[in-house]
């Protein structure tokens, strides 16, 4: 058995190396690829993807796994290693290669149609492609297998071990409170001043400030770097190489700085996840939701808090005297936290953001179950938008066509954004219990206290435990959306006096 385990670990190390090479090629594609190299690069990437698939699904891996029949007897880390290796092997071998290739092909095609449809604001251009994608995703769900709901195996791709029913229970538990809060904010009639956020913020200075904040957060630039890309992301090229990208808008303050802080949260998690778990599949985030909790904890709970800006605002003002000289700390704080239901998810504030997710979750589940036809999607979208956000999209571009995720068949992904918000508030509450001086320290610019707590409670475990268990170990309780609602209600009743 020991021999089988060490052979599996050798196989896994090679899989890790290959996937880091793949990540390097993708990072390069997003940050600096010459325009004429696109086609060559996509052939290189599909070669690596094929090699990876063959390694992960190798018959030998199955034979070795069969020789480790009772992982219960193993130490924690080995047991988790076997569990995660088997999970990956199982999921990849269940889906026929033909289906994977077809979904990738259809995904690329459908992305082109989506771009076309979005610029014409006409869903009917995209509908046939989306129909093909949804039917392939249904096949994928059957190949993976499910007992309760067809959505289960898809959600499991992004939020391992979580069931749809549990997600529904969690969403149902916070939605009425969230709607109540949004209504109270709207009724308060206090519109924070946000005009100053659209003044001139030169790019080079935004980058300088972003780097200062990342340094303070404890993102390790000796094992990482920050670049610019069209869509911000974080990628791991190895335990000593975790890279961030961001984008800056010289006429809108929020996108650059909060995007940078958000990716910094992901990056710090990845840098810490390697610390305890070597170069194995365990040196990774526990789930997409847990990953998103780290980015959102830094971006929203810390990065949009008054203590954080007590320290950083004077520094920011020094860099942008023209834009901020007549804006005091209170006005700035209220401005970056303005709540306003809007049509576009990526522009939403931290309160109404979750309504956008509930909308997508409802629709993708209905699509998958077959209770909603693709051709009826725009109408269903608009109906949900009116019901949840009180807004009717003027056209498909501002409604059903705004996100790219469904082009690739990434159904089951959206809920992890809200899970991230929920986890972040619960983790922060536990952090406050453990560290009574937390806010005082943050107001002094001490963000290391935050990183150290997260490193100990979340990062170093990597994938040792499923996200739900990790939450239980870190906070003493299972995921409870009441923490998120308590956090929002306390913060926004103070800002809006509601
Ligand atoms: Zn993120």
């Amino acid at each position: 058995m020991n021999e089988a385990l060490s052979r599996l670990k050798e196989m896994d190390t090679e899989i890790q190396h290959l996937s880091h090479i793949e990540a390097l090629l993708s990072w390069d594609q997003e940050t600096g690829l010459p325009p004429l190299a696109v086609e060559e690069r996509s052939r290189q990437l599909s070669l690596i993807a094929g090699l990876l698939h063959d390694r992960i699904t190798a018959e030998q891996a199955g034979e070795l796994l069969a020789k480790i029949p009772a992982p219960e007897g193993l130490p924690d880390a080995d047991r988790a290693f076997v569990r995660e290796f088997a999970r990956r092997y199982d999921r990849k071998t269940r889906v026929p290669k033909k289906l994977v290739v077809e979904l990738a092909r259809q995904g690329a095609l459908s992305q082109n149609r989506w771009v076309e449809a979005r610029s014409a604001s006409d869903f009917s251009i995209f509908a046939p492609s989306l129909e093909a994608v949804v039917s392939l995703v249904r096949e994928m769900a059957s190949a993976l297998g499910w007992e309760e709901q067809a959505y289960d195996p898809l959600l499991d791709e992004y939020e391992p071990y979580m069931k749809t029913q549990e997600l529904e229970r969690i969403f149902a538990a916070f939605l009425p409170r969230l709607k109540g809060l949004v209504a109270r904010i709207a009724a308060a009639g206090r519109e924070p001043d946000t005009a100053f956020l659209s003044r001139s913020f030169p790019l080079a200075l935004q980058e300088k400030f972003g780097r200062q904040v990342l340094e303070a957060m404890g993102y390790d630039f000796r094992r990482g770097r920050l670049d610019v890309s069209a869509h911000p992301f974080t990628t791991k090229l190895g335990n000593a190489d975790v890279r961030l990208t961001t984008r800056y808008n010289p006429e809108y303050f929020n996108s650059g700085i909060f995007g940078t802080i958000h990716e910094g949260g992901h990056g710090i998690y990845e840098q810490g996840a390697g610390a305890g778990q070597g170069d194995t599949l365990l040196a990774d985030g526990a789930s997409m939701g847990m990953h998103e909790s780290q980015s959102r904890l830094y971006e929203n709970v810390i990065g949009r808090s008054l203590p954080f800006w007590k320290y950083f605002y004077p520094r920011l003002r020094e860099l942008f005297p023209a834009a901020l000289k007549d804006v005091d700390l209170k006005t700035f704080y209220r401005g970056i936290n303005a709540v306003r239901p809007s049509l576009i998810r990526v522009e939403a504030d931290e309160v109404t953001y979750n309504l956008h997710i509930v909308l997508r979750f409802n629709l993708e589940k209905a699509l998958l179950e077959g209770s909603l036809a693709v051709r009826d999607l725009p109408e269903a979208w608009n109906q949900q938008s009116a019901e949840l956000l009180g807004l009717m999209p003027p056209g498909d571009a501002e409604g059903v066509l705004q996100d790219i995720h469904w082009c690739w068949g990434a159904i089951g992904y959206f809920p992890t954004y809200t899970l991230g918000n929920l986890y972040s508030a619960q983790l922060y509450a536990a952090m406050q219990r453990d560290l009574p001086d937390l806010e005082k320290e943050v107001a002094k610019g001490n963000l290391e206290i935050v990183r150290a707590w997260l490193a100990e409670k979340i990062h170093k475990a990597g994938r040792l435990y499923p996200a739900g268990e990790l939450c239980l170990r870190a906070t003493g309780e299972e995921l409870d959306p009441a923490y998120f609602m308590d956090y929002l209600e306390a913060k926004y009743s103070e800002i809006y006096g509601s």
Side-chain angles (χ1 to χ4, degrees):
M1 180 166 114
N2 282 342
E3 205 192 305
L5 184 57
S6 53
R7 183 68 198 111
L8 274 185
K9 285 183 178 171
E10 284 166 25
M11 294 178 82
D12 177 59
T13 302
E14 290 188 2
I15 291 169
Q16 292 304 108
H17 289 342
L18 270 175
S19 77
H20 292 151
I21 292 166
E22 183 184 46
L24 175 56
L25 290 178
S26 300
W27 172 83
D28 176 71
Q29 184 169 35
E30 300 302 320
T31 54
L33 195 68
L36 292 185
V38 171
E39 211 185 302
E40 243 170 24
R41 177 56 48 88
S42 76
R43 285 200 296 272
Q44 293 163 351
L45 275 165
S46 74
L47 172 64
I48 302 272
L51 289 175
L52 258 171
H53 187 270
D54 293 345
R55 296 280 172 129
I56 290 169
T57 58
E59 240 171 74
Q60 201 198 352
E63 290 161 13
L64 290 167
L65 282 168
K67 286 185 186 155
I68 311 175
E72 285 75 23
L74 296 171
D76 266 10
D78 286 342
R79 197 168 65 225
F81 173 82
V82 173
R83 180 193 72 219
E84 291 303 314
F85 196 108
R87 183 188 137 78
R88 181 176 66 188
Y89 174 81
D90 188 49
R91 286 186 64 93
K92 293 283 184 191
T93 45
R94 277 172 188 244
V95 182
K97 202 168 180 177
K98 220 179 93 196
L99 183 53
V100 177
V101 172
E102 182 55 16
L103 191 58
R105 193 187 68 86
Q106 198 52 253
L109 273 176
S110 113
Q111 191 171 326
N112 291 335
R113 303 299 279 175
W114 173 76
V115 171
E116 217 180 296
R118 197 160 82 137
S119 68
S121 194
D122 180 357
F123 180 76
S124 70
I125 297 171
F126 178 53
S129 303
L130 184 60
E131 254 162 37
V133 168
V134 169
S135 117
L136 289 169
V137 170
R138 274 213 207 100
E139 268 184 58
M140 177 89 82
S142 316
L144 288 166
W146 50 274
E147 281 163 19
E148 290 156 21
Q149 302 200 39
Y151 198 81
D152 284 342
L154 304 173
L155 176 65
D156 192 72
E157 170 73 19
Y158 309 104
E159 198 62 23
Y161 312 105
M162 180 172 267
K163 288 275 188 283
T164 313
Q165 207 181 17
E166 192 186 349
L167 191 63
E168 288 172 316
R169 184 186 58 73
I170 291 167
F171 278 20
F174 78 80
L175 192 56
R177 258 179 96 179
L178 184 63
K179 284 180 174 169
L181 176 62
V182 173
R184 283 200 303 285
I185 289 173
R190 269 205 202 181
E191 282 278 298
D193 175 11
T194 53
F196 65 88
L197 295 168
S198 302
R199 290 176 179 168
S200 166
F201 295 92
L203 298 191
L205 296 177
Q206 286 196 43
E207 185 188 337
K208 187 175 175 193
F209 183 72
R211 284 177 185 272
Q212 272 178 29
V213 173
L214 287 175
E215 294 267 7
M217 285 164 65
Y219 173 75
D220 186 352
F221 276 99
R222 296 166 311 167
R223 300 186 293 139
R225 50 183 287 158
L226 174 67
D227 295 272
V228 170
S229 67
H231 302 282
F233 64 94
T234 298
T235 187
K236 185 170 204 162
L237 314 181
N239 280 339
D241 192 350
V242 175
R243 303 184 184 192
L244 318 177
T245 71
T246 190
R247 64 177 162 199
Y248 306 103
N249 179 346
E251 270 128 37
Y252 185 56
F253 174 75
N254 286 10
S255 29
I257 188 60
F258 292 111
T260 303
I261 296 176
H262 180 100
E263 297 308 324
H266 283 303
I268 290 170
Y269 190 6
E270 286 294 339
Q271 287 184 332
Q277 308 306 334
D279 196 8
T280 72
L281 84 179
L282 296 179
D284 196 359
S287 72
M288 296 293 293
M290 193 53 79
H291 233 300
E292 206 57 21
S293 78
Q294 302 303 294
S295 54
R296 283 164 193 256
L297 190 147
Y298 275 109
E299 178 194 348
N300 294 329
V301 185
I302 307 264
R304 290 180 204 262
S305 73
L306 199 52
F308 177 89
W309 287 107
K310 269 187 187 149
Y311 178 79
F312 280 104
Y313 192 56
R315 284 149 183 88
L316 185 72
R317 241 175 161 182
E318 250 170 55
L319 283 176
F320 303 102
L324 299 173
K325 65 173 180 302
D326 58 345
V327 180
D328 64 14
L329 173 62
K330 235 1 203 309
T331 308
F332 177 80
Y333 169 70
R334 286 164 48 85
I336 59 168
N337 283 297
V339 172
R340 201 169 295 138
S342 62
L343 289 167
I344 307 295
R345 174 184 61 89
V346 296
E347 292 166 8
D349 55 80
E350 65 175 324
V351 179
T352 60
Y353 188 92
N354 303 288
L355 299 170
H356 291 266
I357 299 305
V358 171
L359 179 155
R360 284 154 180 78
F361 173 62
N362 291 342
L363 294 180
E364 55 183 30
K365 224 167 68 70
L367 276 179
L368 200 69
E369 286 164 356
S371 58
L372 174 65
V374 167
R375 65 173 178 280
D376 299 327
L377 193 54
E379 207 191 312
W381 182 289
N382 295 347
Q383 212 178 333
Q384 288 264 318
S385 175
E387 195 187 306
L388 289 163
L389 294 157
L391 295 169
M392 187 61 94
D396 294 342
E398 297 84 8
V400 66
L401 289 173
Q402 65 181 274
D403 295 310
I404 198 170
H405 301 55
W406 290 341
C407 292
W408 314 317
I411 288 177
Y413 188 110
F414 283 120
T416 67
Y417 293 130
T418 285
L419 288 173
N421 286 330
L422 303 180
Y423 279 130
S424 76
Q426 187 163 336
L427 288 171
Y428 191 72
M431 198 187 300
Q432 279 179 311
R433 284 197 300 271
D434 287 354
L435 309 166
D437 286 336
L438 178 61
E439 294 195 343
K440 267 190 223 149
E441 289 300 315
V442 170
K444 285 191 254 170
N446 178 8
L447 298 180
E448 178 54 23
I449 193 174
V450 175
R451 194 204 59 80
W453 190 92
L454 291 171
E456 181 61 29
K457 300 282 184 176
I458 301 291
H459 302 170
K460 80 172 187 201
R463 293 185 81 95
L464 211 49
Y465 314 107
E469 190 184 336
L470 188 56
C471 172
L472 180 63
R473 285 170 177 265
T475 70
E477 289 172 85
E478 285 179 3
L479 179 59
D480 180 354
Y483 283 103
F484 181 59
M485 286 314 307
D486 290 347
Y487 154 73
L488 288 183
E489 285 171 357
K491 178 172 174 178
Y492 290 93
S493 63
E494 199 265 316
I495 293 176
Y496 281 87
S498 60

